[in-house]
Amino acid sequence: MKYFAVFLPMKDKEKSQSYRPQHLTFLERMKEEQKVLMYGRFPDGAGGLVIYRAKDMDEAISHLKKDPFVQVGARDWEIHEWELVSEYEFD
């Protein structure tokens, strides 16, 4: 499996606020299915970052296009394959 970093820059702040619960539910489900490694928002309000786990770019794009933020146009997206060099466990 490969990893893909997806930047979700803010496109529509109102839609982002309205669809945030659905977006978070989607990401939690994807994490439980081991299709998302981690995710988080940028504190400055610029958007967020999701690290997807997929066999290839097409599969990763297929996953991200199911994100409510993307579906309703709340966020733009930019994807890059990402190589995980090291993983740490924190308490």
Side-chain angles (χ1 to χ4, degrees), residues 6-20 23 40-49 69-70 72-78:
V6 176
F7 295 93
L8 295 168
M10 186 66 67
K11 184 176 178 181
D12 185 314
K13 190 173 181 176
E14 286 183 26
K15 283 184 182 178
S16 290
Q17 289 173 343
S18 295
Y19 287 90
R20 184 171 169 75
H23 167 71
R41 65 183 185 90
F42 299 122
D44 65 1
L49 172 70
F69 273 178
V70 173
V72 302
R75 304 288 178 94
D76 281 326
W77 59 271
E78 179 182 335

Side-chain angles (χ1 to χ4, degrees), residues 8-45:
L8 295 168
M10 186 66 67
K11 184 176 178 181
D12 185 314
K13 190 173 181 176
E14 286 183 26
K15 283 184 182 178
S16 290
Q17 289 173 343
S18 295
Y19 287 90
R20 184 171 169 75
Q22 294 93 326
H23 167 71
L24 294 175
T25 297
F26 166 77
L27 291 176
E28 268 307 305
R29 182 172 35 90
M30 296 296 279
K31 190 172 177 189
E32 289 169 5
E33 294 174 7
Q34 298 183 351
K35 295 175 183 172
V36 164
L37 178 66
M38 63 182 69
Y39 58 89
R41 65 183 185 90
F42 299 122
D44 65 1

Side-chain angles (χ1 to χ4, degrees), residues 57-71:
M57 180 71 77
D58 289 338
E59 184 177 75
I61 290 171
S62 174
H63 293 331
L64 86 91
K65 285 188 173 180
K66 295 174 187 170
D67 185 330
F69 273 178
V70 173
Q71 290 180 335

